[in-house]
Amino acid sequence: MKEVVMAKVAFIGLGTMGYPMAGHLAKAGHEVCVYNRTQAKAEKWVAQFGHRLASTPEEAARDAEFVMTCVGNDEDLYQVTLGETGVLKGMAPNAILIDHTTASAEIARQLDSACREQRCGFLDAPVSGGQAGAENGVLGIMVGGASESFARAEPVIAVYAKAIKHLGEAGSGQLTKMVNQICIAGLLQGLAEATHFLKQSGLDGESVFDVIQHGAAGSWQMANRHQTMLNDQFDFGFAVDWMRKDLSLVLDEARRNGARLPVTALVDQFYADVQQMGGGRWDTSSLLKRLEPGK
C-alpha cells in the first residue's frame, strides 16, 4: 500500500457528491478548507466535520496542495476556476487542480492549459457510483492528465474511491465518463422495456430478476434498481435532469469526433419525454414511467 501523507486540501462544491467526498478527506486526516456557493451548506459541513470554510474559491485554494472541484456543469466550473475569484487566482505553483465535475473534454483541456501556465498540475477526474458511492467512499474515478500529477494525487483521492484509473492526457477522464453514461443509458432503457414486458406477460418480477441477474443479462443497474422499478419508486438517485446534461455532453462530443450513437440519441429523447411528464428529478430508471404513464 502507498504511504498517505496528510495534505492541505481545498474542496469546491458541496452538493450531493461533493459534501460526502470532502467529508472523507476530513475523516482521513487531511486539512480541508471548503467553499460552496450557498454558504449555509459550507457552514453545515464545517459543523459536522470541523476544519474551515472560505468565502471564495480563491481564498479556499490559497496554500492548498490539492484543489478539488465538484460542481454542476461547464459554466459553473469556469466560474470557480477561471472566474474573478476562481481557484487559479489563489493556487500556488506545484499545486494540483482535480476536477470531479462531469463536464466537457473541451473545458478539461482548457483548464489543463491554464494550469500549465501557472506551473500547476491538472487532472480531470469525473466519478461514477452516485450518491451512495460518494457516501460510502467507493466511487469509480476515471482520470486524465499528466502521469506525474496523477501519481501525487492518487493517494489523496483514494479515500473516497473503490477504483481509480489513469487513462491518458487531459480530457481522457471526461471522455471515459461519457462512455460510462452511454452504457448506462442503453442498459436502463433495456431494463425498463424488460420490466414492462414481464409485467404485461403476467410474470412475477421478483422471481424473474432473481434468476436472470446472475446470468449474462445481469448488471449493477438490474441488481440495484429492479426492485424499485417493480414498486414504481423513482423519487431518489441520479436525476433525469442530470443524465440529460451528461448525454448532451456525449452527443456534442460525438458530433465533433464523428461517432454514431443512434441508441444514445434515442434514449436522450426518451428522457426528454420523462421531463415532460414532470420527472426531471426522478431517478434515471424512471424510463419505465414513459412506457407505463398511467401507473
Side-chain angles (χ1 to χ4, degrees):
M1 294 181 63
K2 294 182 179 180
E3 180 183 358
V4 179
V5 178
M6 295 303 103
K8 292 184 177 180
V9 178
F11 205 104
I12 314 300
L14 299 174
T16 301
M17 303 294 286
Y19 192 102
M21 291 164 71
H24 285 297
L25 289 166
K27 288 186 286 187
H30 297 292
E31 182 180 331
V32 185
C33 181
V34 297
Y35 168 82
N36 194 66
R37 183 167 51 186
T38 304
Q39 186 168 313
K41 193 72 174 285
E43 292 172 348
K44 178 183 176 183
W45 187 93
V46 170
Q48 181 175 351
F49 296 104
H51 299 261
R52 63 189 181 90
L53 62 85
S55 58
T56 66
E58 176 184 1
E59 179 188 338
R62 290 193 195 119
D63 300 322
E65 299 164 77
F66 301 94
V67 179
M68 282 78 164
T69 50
C70 190
V71 293
N73 53 37
D74 280 27
E75 182 179 351
D76 296 332
L77 181 57
Y78 185 94
Q79 290 300 319
V80 300
T81 55
L82 299 170
E84 290 185 4
T85 59
V87 296
L88 282 170
K89 296 289 180 65
M91 287 177 64
N94 297 318
I96 299 176
L97 173 60
I98 304 164
D99 177 41
H100 291 305
T101 309
T102 296
S104 68
E106 183 178 359
I107 196 169
R109 298 180 188 114
Q110 184 179 0
L111 288 172
D112 180 64
S113 178
C115 285
R116 287 177 185 273
E117 290 180 6
Q118 290 193 202
R119 293 184 293 132
C120 295
F122 173 76
L123 298 171
D124 57 296
V127 303
S128 180
Q131 182 176 353
E135 291 174 349
N136 295 320
V138 292
L139 293 168
I141 304 180
M142 45 219 87
V143 187
S147 57
E148 305 82 33
S149 295
F150 176 74
R152 284 180 55 201
E154 183 182 11
V156 179
I157 62 179
V159 300
Y160 42 76
K162 180 179 181 180
I164 310 169
K165 185 73 173 178
H166 183 233
L167 295 148
E169 62 186 14
S172 299
Q174 295 297 350
L175 292 171
T176 302
K177 180 62 183 286
M178 293 177 199
V179 173
N180 185 80
Q181 300 306 76
I182 292 168
C183 292
I184 290 174
L187 280 169
L188 284 171
Q189 179 61 22
L191 185 57
E193 292 184 15
T195 303
H196 177 58
F197 179 86
L198 71 83
K199 287 182 177 181
Q200 294 295 107
S201 301
L203 294 168
D204 178 72
E206 192 60 53
S207 296
V208 170
F209 285 119
D210 185 54
V211 173
I212 69 172
Q213 68 178 313
H214 301 293
S219 67
W220 186 97
Q221 295 293 339
M222 182 182 290
N224 289 274
R225 292 290 179 263
H226 78 269
Q227 186 63 64
T228 50
M229 293 175 76
L230 290 171
N231 293 339
D232 200 39
Q233 297 172 342
F234 305 104
D235 56 343
F236 63 92
F238 190 71
V240 167
D241 288 342
W242 301 340
M243 178 59 104
R244 285 218 73 204
K245 185 267 287 187
D246 290 0
L247 292 181
S248 73
L249 294 172
V250 169
L251 295 171
D252 284 347
E253 188 65 33
R255 282 186 281 272
R256 281 191 285 270
N257 69 21
R260 299 165 61 189
L261 305 176
V263 173
T264 303
L266 187 60
V267 176
D268 178 58
Q269 290 307 302
F270 291 165
Y271 277 124
D273 293 343
V274 176
Q275 288 177 318
Q276 289 294 316
M277 295 170 65
R281 305 303 290 182
W282 292 345
D283 179 75
T284 46
S285 60
S286 60
L287 285 167
L288 179 61
K289 294 286 283 184
R290 180 181 170 277
L291 301 174
E292 303 176 342
K295 296 183 179 180

